[in-house]
Coordinates of all heavy atoms in Angstrom, one line a residue:
M1 N 1.5 119.1 27.7 CA 0.6 118.2 28.4 C -0.8 118.7 28.2 O -1.1 119.8 28.5 CB 1.0 118.1 29.9 CG 1.6 116.8 30.3 SD 1.8 116.7 32.1 CE 0.2 115.8 32.5
P2 N -1.7 117.8 27.8 CA -3.1 118.2 27.6 C -3.8 118.4 29.0 O -3.4 117.8 30.0 CB -3.7 117.1 26.8 CG -2.9 115.9 27.2 CD -1.5 116.4 27.4
T3 N -4.8 119.2 29.0 CA -5.6 119.3 30.2 C -6.4 118.0 30.4 O -6.8 117.3 29.4 CB -6.7 120.4 30.0 OG1 -6.0 121.6 29.7 CG2 -7.6 120.6 31.2
I4 N -6.5 117.5 31.6 CA -7.2 116.3 31.9 C -8.5 116.6 32.6 O -8.5 117.4 33.6 CB -6.4 115.4 32.8 CG1 -5.0 115.1 32.3 CG2 -7.1 114.1 33.1 CD1 -5.0 114.2 31.0
V5 N -9.6 116.1 32.1 CA -10.9 116.3 32.7 C -11.4 115.0 33.1 O -10.9 113.9 32.7 CB -11.9 117.0 31.7 CG1 -11.4 118.4 31.3 CG2 -12.1 116.1 30.5
K6 N -12.4 115.0 34.0 CA -12.9 113.7 34.5 C -14.2 113.5 33.8 O -15.1 114.4 33.6 CB -13.2 113.8 36.0 CG -11.9 113.6 36.8 CD -12.3 113.1 38.2 CE -11.0 113.0 39.1 NZ -10.1 112.0 38.7
C7 N -14.4 112.3 33.3 CA -15.6 111.9 32.7 C -16.8 112.0 33.7 O -16.7 111.5 34.8 CB -15.5 110.4 32.2 SG -17.1 109.8 31.6
P8 N -17.8 112.8 33.3 CA -18.9 113.0 34.2 C -19.7 111.7 34.6 O -20.4 111.7 35.6 CB -19.8 114.0 33.5 CG -19.0 114.6 32.4 CD -18.0 113.6 32.1
S9 N -19.6 110.7 33.7 CA -20.3 109.5 34.0 C -19.5 108.5 34.9 O -20.1 108.0 35.8 CB -20.7 108.8 32.7 OG -21.6 109.6 32.0
C10 N -18.3 108.3 34.6 CA -17.5 107.3 35.3 C -16.3 107.8 36.0 O -15.6 107.0 36.6 CB -17.2 106.1 34.3 SG -15.9 106.6 33.2
Q11 N -16.1 109.1 35.9 CA -14.9 109.7 36.6 C -13.6 109.3 36.0 O -12.6 109.6 36.7 CB -15.0 109.5 38.1 CG -16.3 109.7 38.8 CD -16.8 111.1 38.6 OE1 -16.1 112.1 38.8 NE2 -18.0 111.3 38.1
A12 N -13.5 108.7 34.9 CA -12.2 108.4 34.3 C -11.5 109.7 33.8 O -12.2 110.7 33.5 CB -12.4 107.4 33.1
S13 N -10.2 109.7 33.8 CA -9.5 110.8 33.3 C -9.5 110.9 31.8 O -9.2 109.9 31.2 CB -8.1 110.8 33.8 OG -8.1 110.9 35.2
V14 N -9.9 112.0 31.3 CA -10.0 112.1 29.8 C -9.1 113.3 29.4 O -9.3 114.4 29.8 CB -11.4 112.4 29.4 CG1 -11.5 112.5 27.9 CG2 -12.4 111.4 30.0
P15 N -8.1 113.1 28.6 CA -7.3 114.2 28.1 C -8.1 115.1 27.1 O -8.8 114.6 26.3 CB -6.1 113.6 27.3 CG -6.6 112.2 27.1 CD -7.7 111.8 28.0
W16 N -8.1 116.4 27.4 CA -8.9 117.3 26.6 C -8.1 117.6 25.2 O -7.4 118.7 25.1 CB -9.1 118.6 27.3 CG -10.2 119.5 26.7 CD1 -10.0 120.4 25.8 CD2 -11.6 119.4 27.0 NE1 -11.2 121.0 25.4 CE2 -12.2 120.4 26.1 CE3 -12.4 118.7 27.8 CZ2 -13.5 120.6 26.1 CZ3 -13.7 118.9 27.8 CH2 -14.3 119.9 27.0
V17 N -8.2 116.7 24.3 CA -7.5 116.8 23.0 C -8.5 116.4 22.0 O -9.5 115.8 22.2 CB -6.2 115.9 23.0 CG1 -5.2 116.4 24.0 CG2 -6.6 114.4 23.2
A18 N -8.1 116.8 20.7 CA -9.0 116.5 19.6 C -9.3 115.0 19.5 O -10.4 114.6 19.1 CB -8.4 117.0 18.3
A19 N -8.3 114.2 19.9 CA -8.5 112.7 19.7 C -9.6 112.2 20.7 O -10.2 111.2 20.5 CB -7.2 112.0 20.0
S20 N -9.8 112.9 21.8 CA -10.9 112.5 22.7 C -12.2 113.0 22.2 O -12.8 114.0 22.6 CB -10.6 113.1 24.1 OG -9.4 112.6 24.6
E21 N -12.7 112.2 21.3 CA -13.9 112.6 20.5 C -15.1 113.0 21.4 O -15.9 113.8 21.0 CB -14.2 111.5 19.5 CG -15.1 111.9 18.4 CD -15.5 110.7 17.5 OE1 -14.7 109.8 17.5 OE2 -16.5 110.8 16.8
F22 N -15.2 112.3 22.5 CA -16.4 112.5 23.3 C -16.2 113.3 24.6 O -17.0 113.2 25.5 CB -17.0 111.1 23.6 CG -17.3 110.3 22.4 CD1 -16.4 109.2 22.0 CD2 -18.3 110.6 21.6 CE1 -16.7 108.5 20.9 CE2 -18.6 109.9 20.4 CZ -17.7 108.9 20.0
R23 N -15.1 114.0 24.6 CA -14.8 114.8 25.8 C -16.0 115.7 26.1 O -16.6 116.2 25.2 CB -13.5 115.6 25.6 CG -13.5 116.6 24.5 CD -12.1 117.1 24.2 NE -12.1 118.2 23.3 CZ -12.1 118.0 21.9 NH1 -12.1 116.8 21.4 NH2 -12.2 119.0 21.1
P24 N -16.3 116.0 27.4 CA -15.6 115.6 28.5 C -15.8 114.1 28.9 O -15.3 113.7 29.9 CB -16.1 116.5 29.6 CG -17.5 116.7 29.2 CD -17.5 116.8 27.7
F25 N -16.6 113.4 28.1 CA -16.8 112.0 28.4 C -15.7 111.1 27.9 O -15.0 111.5 26.9 CB -18.1 111.5 27.8 CG -19.3 112.3 28.3 CD1 -19.7 113.4 27.6 CD2 -19.9 112.0 29.5 CE1 -20.8 114.2 28.1 CE2 -20.9 112.8 30.0 CZ -21.4 113.9 29.2
C26 N -15.4 109.9 28.5 CA -14.4 109.1 28.1 C -14.8 108.3 26.8 O -13.9 107.8 26.1 CB -13.9 108.2 29.2 SG -15.2 106.9 29.6
S27 N -16.0 108.2 26.6 CA -16.5 107.4 25.5 C -17.9 107.8 25.1 O -18.6 108.4 25.9 CB -16.5 105.9 25.9 OG -17.4 105.7 26.9
K28 N -18.3 107.3 24.0 CA -19.7 107.6 23.5 C -20.7 107.0 24.5 O -21.7 107.5 24.8 CB -19.9 107.0 22.1 CG -21.2 107.3 21.6 CD -21.4 106.8 20.1 CE -22.7 107.4 19.5 NZ -22.9 106.9 18.2
R29 N -20.3 105.8 25.0 CA -21.2 105.2 26.0 C -21.5 106.1 27.2 O -22.7 106.3 27.6 CB -20.6 103.9 26.4 CG -21.5 103.0 27.2 CD -21.0 101.6 27.3 NE -21.9 100.8 28.1 CZ -21.9 100.8 29.4 NH1 -21.0 101.4 30.1 NH2 -22.8 100.1 30.1
C30 N -20.5 106.7 27.8 CA -20.7 107.5 28.9 C -21.4 108.8 28.5 O -22.3 109.3 29.3 CB -19.3 107.9 29.5 SG -18.7 106.6 30.5
Q31 N -21.2 109.3 27.3 CA -21.9 110.4 26.9 C -23.4 110.1 26.8 O -24.2 110.9 27.2 CB -21.4 110.8 25.5 CG -22.0 112.1 24.9 CD -21.5 112.3 23.5 OE1 -21.6 111.4 22.6 NE2 -21.0 113.5 23.2
L32 N -23.7 109.0 26.3 CA -25.1 108.6 26.1 C -25.8 108.3 27.5 O -26.9 108.7 27.7 CB -25.3 107.4 25.2 CG -24.9 107.6 23.8 CD1 -24.9 106.3 23.0 CD2 -25.8 108.6 23.2
I33 N -25.0 107.8 28.4 CA -25.5 107.5 29.7 C -25.9 108.8 30.4 O -27.0 109.0 30.9 CB -24.5 106.8 30.6 CG1 -24.4 105.3 30.1 CG2 -24.9 106.8 32.1 CD1 -23.2 104.6 30.7
D34 N -25.0 109.8 30.3 CA -25.2 111.1 30.9 C -26.4 111.8 30.3 O -27.3 112.3 30.9 CB -24.0 112.0 30.8 CG -24.1 113.2 31.6 OD1 -23.9 113.1 32.8 OD2 -24.4 114.3 31.1
L35 N -26.5 111.7 29.0 CA -27.6 112.3 28.3 C -28.9 111.6 28.7 O -29.9 112.3 28.8 CB -27.4 112.1 26.8 CG -28.4 112.7 25.8 CD1 -28.5 114.2 26.0 CD2 -28.0 112.3 24.4
G36 N -28.9 110.3 28.9 CA -30.1 109.6 29.3 C -30.6 110.0 30.7 O -31.8 110.2 30.9
Q37 N -29.6 110.3 31.6 CA -30.0 110.7 32.9 C -30.6 112.1 32.8 O -31.6 112.4 33.5 CB -28.7 110.8 33.8 CG -28.3 109.4 34.2 CD -27.0 109.4 34.9 OE1 -26.3 110.4 35.0 NE2 -26.6 108.3 35.4
W38 N -30.0 113.0 32.0 CA -30.6 114.3 31.9 C -32.0 114.2 31.3 O -32.9 114.9 31.8 CB -29.6 115.1 30.9 CG -30.2 116.4 30.6 CD1 -30.0 117.6 31.3 CD2 -30.9 116.8 29.4 NE1 -30.7 118.6 30.6 CE2 -31.2 118.1 29.5 CE3 -31.3 116.0 28.3 CZ2 -31.9 118.8 28.5 CZ3 -32.0 116.7 27.3 CH2 -32.3 118.0 27.4
A39 N -32.2 113.4 30.3 CA -33.5 113.3 29.7 C -34.5 112.8 30.6 O -35.6 113.2 30.7 CB -33.4 112.4 28.4
N40 N -34.1 111.8 31.5 CA -35.0 111.3 32.4 C -35.5 112.3 33.4 O -36.6 112.4 33.8 CB -34.4 110.1 33.2 CG -34.5 108.8 32.4 OD1 -35.3 108.7 31.5 ND2 -33.6 107.9 32.7
E41 N -34.6 113.2 33.8 CA -34.9 114.2 34.8 C -35.9 115.2 34.1 O -36.9 115.7 34.7 CB -33.7 115.0 35.2 CG -33.0 114.3 36.4 CD -31.7 114.9 36.8 OE1 -31.7 116.1 36.7 OE2 -30.8 114.2 37.2
E42 N -35.6 115.5 32.9 CA -36.5 116.4 32.1 C -37.9 115.9 32.1 O -38.9 116.6 32.1 CB -36.0 116.6 30.7 CG -34.8 117.6 30.6 CD -35.3 119.0 30.9 OE1 -36.1 119.6 30.2 OE2 -34.8 119.5 32.0
N43 N -38.0 114.6 32.0 CA -39.3 114.0 31.7 C -40.0 113.6 33.0 O -41.1 113.0 33.0 CB -39.2 112.7 30.8 CG -38.8 113.2 29.4 OD1 -39.4 114.1 28.9 ND2 -38.0 112.5 28.8
R44 N -39.4 113.8 34.1 CA -40.0 113.4 35.4 C -41.3 114.3 35.6 O -41.3 115.5 35.3 CB -39.0 113.7 36.5 CG -39.2 112.8 37.7 CD -37.9 112.5 38.4 NE -37.2 111.4 37.8 CZ -35.9 111.2 38.0 NH1 -35.2 111.9 38.8 NH2 -35.3 110.2 37.5
V45 N -42.3 113.7 36.1 CA -43.5 114.4 36.3 C -43.3 115.5 37.4 O -42.6 115.2 38.3 CB -44.7 113.5 36.7 CG1 -45.1 112.6 35.5 CG2 -44.3 112.6 37.9
P46 N -44.0 116.6 37.3 CA -43.9 117.7 38.2 C -44.4 117.2 39.6 O -45.2 116.3 39.7 CB -44.8 118.8 37.7 CG -45.1 118.4 36.3 CD -44.9 116.9 36.2
A47 N -43.8 117.9 40.7 CA -44.3 117.5 42.0 C -45.8 117.7 42.2 O -46.4 118.6 41.6 CB -43.5 118.4 43.0
G48 N -46.4 116.8 42.9 CA -47.8 116.9 43.1 C -48.6 115.9 42.3 O -49.7 115.6 42.6
K49 N -47.9 115.3 41.4 CA -48.5 114.3 40.6 C -47.8 113.0 40.9 O -46.9 112.5 40.1 CB -48.4 114.6 39.1 CG -49.3 113.8 38.2 CD -49.2 114.2 36.8 CE -49.9 113.3 35.8 NZ -49.5 113.5 34.4
N50 N -48.2 112.3 42.0 CA -47.4 111.2 42.5 C -48.0 109.8 42.0 O -47.5 108.8 42.4 CB -47.4 111.2 44.0 CG -46.9 112.5 44.5 OD1 -46.1 113.1 43.9 ND2 -47.4 112.9 45.7
N51 N -49.1 109.9 41.3 CA -49.8 108.6 41.1 C -49.1 107.6 40.2 O -49.4 106.4 40.3 CB -51.3 108.8 40.6 CG -51.3 109.8 39.5 OD1 -50.4 110.6 39.3 ND2 -52.4 109.8 38.8
D52 N -48.2 108.1 39.4 CA -47.4 107.1 38.7 C -45.9 107.3 38.9 O -45.2 107.7 38.1 CB -47.7 107.0 37.2 CG -47.8 108.3 36.5 OD1 -47.2 109.3 37.0 OD2 -48.3 108.4 35.4
A53 N -45.5 106.9 40.1 CA -44.1 107.0 40.5 C -43.2 106.2 39.7 O -42.1 106.5 39.4 CB -44.0 106.7 42.0
E54 N -43.7 105.0 39.3 CA -43.0 104.2 38.4 C -42.9 104.8 37.1 O -43.9 104.9 36.4 CB -43.7 102.8 38.3 CG -43.7 102.0 39.5 CD -42.3 101.5 40.0 OE1 -41.5 101.2 39.1 OE2 -42.1 101.5 41.2
T55 N -41.7 105.4 36.8 CA -41.6 106.1 35.6 C -41.8 105.3 34.3 O -41.3 104.2 34.2 CB -40.3 106.9 35.5 OG1 -40.2 107.6 34.3 CG2 -39.1 106.0 35.6
S56 N -42.6 105.8 33.4 CA -42.9 105.1 32.2 C -42.1 105.7 31.1 O -42.2 105.4 29.9 CB -44.4 105.1 31.9 OG -44.8 106.4 31.9
M57 N -41.2 106.7 31.4 CA -40.5 107.4 30.4 C -39.0 107.0 30.4 O -38.1 107.8 30.2 CB -40.5 108.9 30.8 CG -41.9 109.5 30.8 SD -42.7 109.6 29.2 CE -41.7 110.9 28.4
Q58 N -38.8 105.7 30.6 CA -37.4 105.2 30.4 C -36.9 105.5 29.0 O -37.4 105.1 28.0 CB -37.4 103.7 30.7 CG -37.3 103.4 32.2 CD -36.1 103.8 32.9 OE1 -35.1 104.1 32.2 NE2 -36.1 103.9 34.2
I59 N -35.8 106.3 29.0 CA -35.2 106.6 27.7 C -34.2 105.5 27.3 O -33.4 105.0 28.1 CB -34.4 107.9 27.8 CG1 -35.3 109.0 28.3 CG2 -33.8 108.2 26.5 CD1 -36.4 109.4 27.4
D60 N -34.3 105.0 26.2 CA -33.5 103.9 25.7 C -32.3 104.5 25.0 O -32.3 105.5 24.3 CB -34.3 103.1 24.6 CG -33.8 101.7 24.6 OD1 -32.7 101.5 24.0 OD2 -34.5 100.8 25.0
I61 N -31.1 103.9 25.3 CA -29.9 104.3 24.7 C -30.0 104.3 23.2 O -29.5 105.2 22.5 CB -28.7 103.4 25.1 CG1 -28.4 103.6 26.6 CG2 -27.5 103.7 24.3 CD1 -27.7 104.8 27.0
E62 N -30.7 103.3 22.7 CA -30.9 103.3 21.2 C -31.6 104.5 20.7 O -31.3 105.0 19.6 CB -31.7 102.0 20.8 CG -31.2 100.7 21.5 CD -30.3 100.0 20.6 OE1 -30.6 99.8 19.4 OE2 -29.2 99.6 21.1
D63 N -32.6 104.9 21.4 CA -33.4 106.1 21.0 C -32.5 107.3 21.0 O -32.6 108.1 20.1 CB -34.5 106.3 22.0 CG -35.6 105.3 21.9 OD1 -35.6 104.6 20.8 OD2 -36.4 105.2 22.8
I64 N -31.7 107.4 22.0 CA -30.8 108.6 22.1 C -29.8 108.6 20.9 O -29.5 109.6 20.3 CB -30.0 108.6 23.4 CG1 -31.0 108.8 24.5 CG2 -29.0 109.7 23.4 CD1 -30.5 108.5 25.9
E65 N -29.3 107.4 20.6 CA -28.4 107.3 19.5 C -29.0 107.7 18.2 O -28.5 108.4 17.4 CB -27.8 105.9 19.4 CG -26.6 105.7 20.3 CD -25.8 104.4 20.0 OE1 -26.5 103.4 20.0 OE2 -24.6 104.5 19.8
A66 N -30.3 107.3 18.1 CA -31.0 107.6 16.9 C -31.2 109.2 16.8 O -31.0 109.8 15.7 CB -32.4 107.0 16.9
L67 N -31.5 109.7 17.9 CA -31.7 111.2 18.0 C -30.4 111.9 17.6 O -30.4 112.9 16.8 CB -32.0 111.6 19.5 CG -33.4 112.0 19.7 CD1 -33.6 112.1 21.3 CD2 -33.7 113.4 19.1
L68 N -29.3 111.4 18.2 CA -28.0 112.1 17.9 C -27.6 112.0 16.5 O -27.1 112.9 15.9 CB -26.9 111.4 18.8 CG -27.0 111.7 20.2 CD1 -25.9 110.9 21.0 CD2 -26.8 113.2 20.5
S69 N -27.9 110.8 15.8 CA -27.5 110.7 14.4 C -28.5 111.5 13.5 O -28.1 111.9 12.5 CB -27.5 109.3 14.0 OG -28.6 108.6 14.4
D70 N -29.7 111.8 14.0 CA -30.6 112.6 13.3 C -30.1 114.1 13.3 O -30.2 114.8 12.3 CB -32.0 112.6 13.8 CG -32.7 111.3 13.3 OD1 -32.1 110.6 12.5 OD2 -33.8 111.0 13.8
H71 N -29.7 114.6 14.5 CA -29.4 116.0 14.6 C -28.0 116.2 15.3 O -28.0 116.9 16.3 CB -30.4 116.7 15.4 CG -31.8 116.5 14.9 ND1 -32.3 117.2 13.8 CD2 -32.8 115.7 15.3 CE1 -33.5 116.8 13.6 NE2 -33.9 115.9 14.5
P72 N -27.0 115.6 14.8 CA -25.7 115.7 15.5 C -25.2 117.2 15.7 O -24.7 117.5 16.7 CB -24.7 114.9 14.7 CG -25.4 114.8 13.3 CD -26.8 115.0 13.5
D73 N -25.4 118.0 14.7 CA -24.9 119.4 14.8 C -25.7 120.2 15.8 O -25.2 120.9 16.6 CB -25.0 120.0 13.4 CG -24.0 119.3 12.5 OD1 -23.0 118.7 12.9 OD2 -24.3 119.3 11.2
E74 N -27.0 120.1 15.7 CA -27.9 120.9 16.6 C -27.6 120.5 18.0 O -27.5 121.4 18.9 CB -29.4 120.6 16.3 CG -29.9 121.2 15.1 CD -31.3 120.7 14.8 OE1 -32.1 120.6 15.8 OE2 -31.6 120.4 13.7
F75 N -27.4 119.2 18.2 CA -27.3 118.8 19.6 C -26.0 119.3 20.3 O -26.1 119.7 21.5 CB -27.3 117.3 19.7 CG -27.6 116.8 21.0 CD1 -28.9 116.8 21.4 CD2 -26.6 116.6 22.0 CE1 -29.3 116.4 22.7 CE2 -26.9 116.2 23.3 CZ -28.3 116.2 23.6
F76 N -24.9 119.4 19.6 CA -23.7 119.8 20.3 C -23.3 121.2 20.2 O -22.2 121.6 20.5 CB -22.5 118.9 19.7 CG -22.7 117.4 20.2 CD1 -23.1 116.5 19.3 CD2 -22.6 117.1 21.5 CE1 -23.3 115.2 19.7 CE2 -22.8 115.8 21.9 CZ -23.2 114.8 21.0
K77 N -24.2 122.0 19.8 CA -23.9 123.5 19.7 C -23.7 124.0 21.1 O -24.3 123.6 22.1 CB -25.1 124.2 19.1 CG -24.7 124.6 17.7 CD -25.9 125.1 16.9 CE -25.6 125.0 15.4 NZ -26.8 125.1 14.6
Ligands
LIG101 ZN1 -16.7 107.5 31.3

């Protein structure tokens, strides 16, 4: 029986096997969603600079996909 992990994005059960290409995510979509959240946090302005609370750094899924296809190996090290 394979180890089952929970998808960090949607909490779905994902078997930890080679066939689960995006583990621990259930799908590429969830992987990108999680990556997008991480990127948004990284880009959040430091505390003390409140004048543009409306973030202008919305990361687009398409951009992330482009990034991933540019550097797939670097990214998953
Ligand atoms: Zn998921």
Side-chain angles (χ1 to χ4, degrees):
M1 249 187 96
T3 302
I4 304 291
V5 296
K6 283 204 186 289
C7 171
S9 290
C10 72
Q11 312 301 311
S13 296
V14 183
W16 193 271
V17 294
S20 301
E21 195 182 339
F22 303 106
R23 62 191 187 276
F25 302 93
C26 67
S27 64
K28 185 174 187 181
R29 189 165 180 274
C30 282
Q31 183 184 52
L32 292 176
I33 289 169
D34 192 78
L35 182 61
Q37 285 171 351
W38 173 84
N40 278 339
E41 277 175 34
E42 280 294 295
N43 288 320
R44 208 150 276 165
V45 288
K49 193 180 171 193
N50 308 326
N51 47 343
D52 48 20
E54 294 294 322
T55 178
S56 52
M57 299 292 288
Q58 279 293 343
I59 305 291
D60 205 288
I61 292 285
E62 311 265 314
D63 291 342
I64 295 167
E65 275 193 306
L67 252 170
L68 287 177
S69 51
D70 281 352
H71 306 285
D73 295 332
E74 286 175 41
F75 199 83
F76 292 109
K77 254 169 202 164

